[in-house]
Amino acid sequence: MAAKKTTINTLLSSDMSNDTTAHHSPTSLHDSARGSPEPPLDSFHTLVQAINKILGPCNGIDSAGVDVEELKSAMRAFDGPDEEWQKYAFQDYSRPYTRNLVDRGNGKSNLLILVWTPGKASPIHDHANAHCVMRILKGSLTETIYGWPCEGADGLTDCATSPTHPTGHTCSAEPEQLEPHALCNANTEEVAVSLHLYTPPNAARHGCHIFDQRTGKKSKVQQCHFYSELGVKME
């Protein structure tokens, strides 16, 4: 009987303890519903947010309500550390560059990070009748702009200019600027990284044209595949 009494007392004591816990009132009516606060956005993701805000929920870059210079200014102002965008910067030395999707914006744009293999270049290409705003994040890129068509030239290279864009440089290209161009990472030791905003994302949807450097002949290629999307490498 003594052993049984001890067991019952123990159970009663446990029940009373549980009852006290169950009826403990929170210090605030909202304590139980309050979640952990979201960490503040870093500089890079603040830039992504700013680009989406400038473009708006319905407008493309070519609408009257969007100022290209405002987009360039936002990209130019970014001064965050490399670590903020590195999760999107996949590199692959087996190809000249990788196209990594950072954000799909409002459905009328693509924001990409391109990682350029040392000493490699893109083909000569157009932008599929889309706007492009570019910011160099790391290293430098030489942009060769081909004056096409041009009178009296035997090939595209006869009317080409090749400015070099250093880290931090921001520029844009409009659909009406028909000259094809190519980008090259002339550094044979280090990768270069660039941020590109395309709107509308015509190349990703429909492909773009590349050009033979000698003859100027164009051919259509598809650009629908990204090397990575939103920080995840695609298989």
Side-chain angles (χ1 to χ4, degrees):
M1 291 294 293
K4 184 175 181 180
K5 183 176 180 180
T6 301
T7 302
I8 293 173
N9 287 340
T10 301
L11 291 173
L12 286 172
S13 175
S14 176
D15 287 344
M16 289 178 66
S17 174
N18 290 339
D19 184 68
T20 300
T21 301
H23 288 84
H24 173 70
S25 298
T27 58
S28 166
L29 292 176
H30 302 288
D31 279 358
S32 60
R34 183 183 294 127
S36 301
E38 292 186 3
L41 292 176
D42 59 29
S43 299
F44 181 73
H45 293 94
T46 298
L47 169 62
V48 175
Q49 187 178 72
I51 289 171
N52 287 329
K53 184 177 180 180
I54 294 169
L55 290 175
C58 302
N59 296 327
I61 196 172
D62 54 351
S63 69
V66 175
D67 184 355
V68 177
E69 291 302 318
E70 189 177 4
L71 285 167
K72 290 170 64 177
S73 178
M75 291 178 74
R76 191 180 296 116
F78 169 69
D79 62 354
D82 295 357
E83 290 76 14
E84 293 183 352
W85 49 258
Q86 280 179 340
K87 65 176 285 186
Y88 305 105
F90 289 82
Q91 63 188 62
D92 186 339
Y93 282 85
S94 70
R95 57 184 71 197
Y97 60 95
T98 60
R99 301 171 69 250
N100 304 282
L101 179 68
V102 173
D103 189 72
R104 293 188 177 91
N106 58 8
K108 294 187 177 181
S109 66
N110 278 337
L111 186 65
L112 307 181
I113 279 181
L114 274 61
V115 182
W116 301 83
T117 298
K120 299 298 183 180
S122 73
I124 304 168
H125 63 279
D126 63 19
H127 283 158
N129 199 36
H131 289 73
C132 175
V133 182
M134 178 180 73
R135 160 73 189 262
I136 308 299
L137 296 175
K138 180 180 180 180
S140 64
L141 292 175
T142 298
E143 180 185 22
T144 302
I145 304 169
Y146 298 88
W148 180 260
C150 66
E151 295 287 336
D154 293 328
L156 289 178
T157 55
D158 286 356
C159 4
T161 58
S162 300
T164 296
H165 304 312
T167 300
H169 178 82
T170 303
C171 59
S172 64
E174 316 299 326
E176 59 269 18
Q177 295 173 336
L178 298 178
E179 297 90 353
H181 76 153
L183 292 168
C184 174
N185 178 14
N187 189 315
T188 58
E189 301 293 333
E190 302 289 339
V191 299
V193 184
S194 53
L195 180 68
H196 300 246
L197 174 68
Y198 298 104
T199 177
N202 291 340
R205 292 174 179 170
H206 312 299
C208 66
H209 293 103
I210 61 174
F211 298 80
D212 184 279
Q213 183 172 329
R214 184 178 61 85
T215 65
K217 182 179 179 180
K218 69 179 181 180
S219 56
K220 189 171 183 179
V221 295
Q222 297 300 319
Q223 291 279 353
C224 56
H225 177 74
F226 298 115
Y227 193 82
S228 70
E229 293 187 12
L230 311 180
V232 179
K233 182 181 176 182
M234 307 305 292
E235 296 297 333

